[in-house]
């Protein structure tokens, strides 16, 4: 396996599924004291909280996604860990990961102004490199 040359710069976000978005929103905002970055009350809804300053303009975040049913991690990006990489390393990391035989899904999240690479670890946990 080709080493990454320590291109990971920090933790971008942790995303988890929740059954009661309102209660979890209140808990993380009022009890834990996190700042709300964005909430969407669409079909299943989500809320993003800022945990701390991050790397390259991407804060360290906690994302809560309301789900009616538990999702299969192989079919959803909701449960994942995001790690920051530098924008200038984005294409190099994409090529490196693909060269290792990993199935990479690259996308742009316009509202966050970031580019992401999604892939799975050997046990099926979903990872994201975000730049």
């Amino acid at each position: 396996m080709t080493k990454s040359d320590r291109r990971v710069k920090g933790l971008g976000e942790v995303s988890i599924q929740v059954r009661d978005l309102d209660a979890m929103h209140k808990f993380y905002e009022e009890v834990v004291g996190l700042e709300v970055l964005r909430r969407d009350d669409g079909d299943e809804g989500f809320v993003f909280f800022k945990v701390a300053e991050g790397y390259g303009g991407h804060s360290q975040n906690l994302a809560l996604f309301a789900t009616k049913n538990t999702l299969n991690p192989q079919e959803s990006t909701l449960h994942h860990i995001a790690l920051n990489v530098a924008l200038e390393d984005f294409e190099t990391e994409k090529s490196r990961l693909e060269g290792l035989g990993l199935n990479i899904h690259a996308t742009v999240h316009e509202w966050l102004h970031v580019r992401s690479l999604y892939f799975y670890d050997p046990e099926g946990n979903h990872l994201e490199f975000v730049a």
Side-chain angles (χ1 to χ4, degrees):
M1 189 174 284
T2 304
K3 191 175 174 183
S4 74
D5 295 325
R6 309 231 355 119
R7 288 200 171 98
V8 171
K9 306 296 185 191
L11 179 67
E13 72 189 30
V14 173
S15 297
I16 60 174
Q17 298 174 47
V18 300
R19 287 185 288 278
D20 186 338
L21 186 62
D22 291 331
M24 293 293 280
H25 178 161
K26 183 176 181 177
F27 178 84
Y28 280 97
E29 184 175 19
E30 296 178 11
V31 176
V32 178
L34 299 181
E35 173 189 349
V36 175
L37 293 174
R38 181 175 176 181
R39 177 162 174 156
D40 183 310
D41 288 316
D43 189 30
E44 294 198 2
F46 63 83
V47 61
F48 276 73
F49 296 94
K50 179 178 178 180
V51 175
E53 293 302 320
Y55 173 80
H58 184 285
S59 58
Q60 295 177 11
N61 302 323
L62 169 65
L64 306 178
F65 290 88
T67 57
K68 296 176 180 141
N69 300 301
T70 301
L71 300 175
N72 179 341
Q74 298 294 326
E75 298 171 357
S76 170
T77 62
L78 294 185
H79 264 44
H80 73 280
I81 298 171
L83 301 169
N84 296 120
V85 296
L87 184 58
E88 58 269 15
D89 292 332
F90 186 85
E91 291 299 328
T92 303
E93 283 299 282
K94 182 177 184 291
S95 296
R96 185 183 69 82
L97 294 170
E98 288 172 335
L100 293 171
L102 295 172
N103 183 15
I104 304 301
H105 173 71
T107 191
V108 175
H109 299 289
E110 294 291 340
W111 75 272
L112 286 171
H113 308 289
V114 299
R115 297 171 67 186
S116 297
L117 301 172
Y118 292 99
F119 57 100
Y120 295 97
D121 73 12
E123 292 196 4
N125 298 301
H126 213 171
L127 297 175
E128 174 188 11
F129 278 4
V130 59

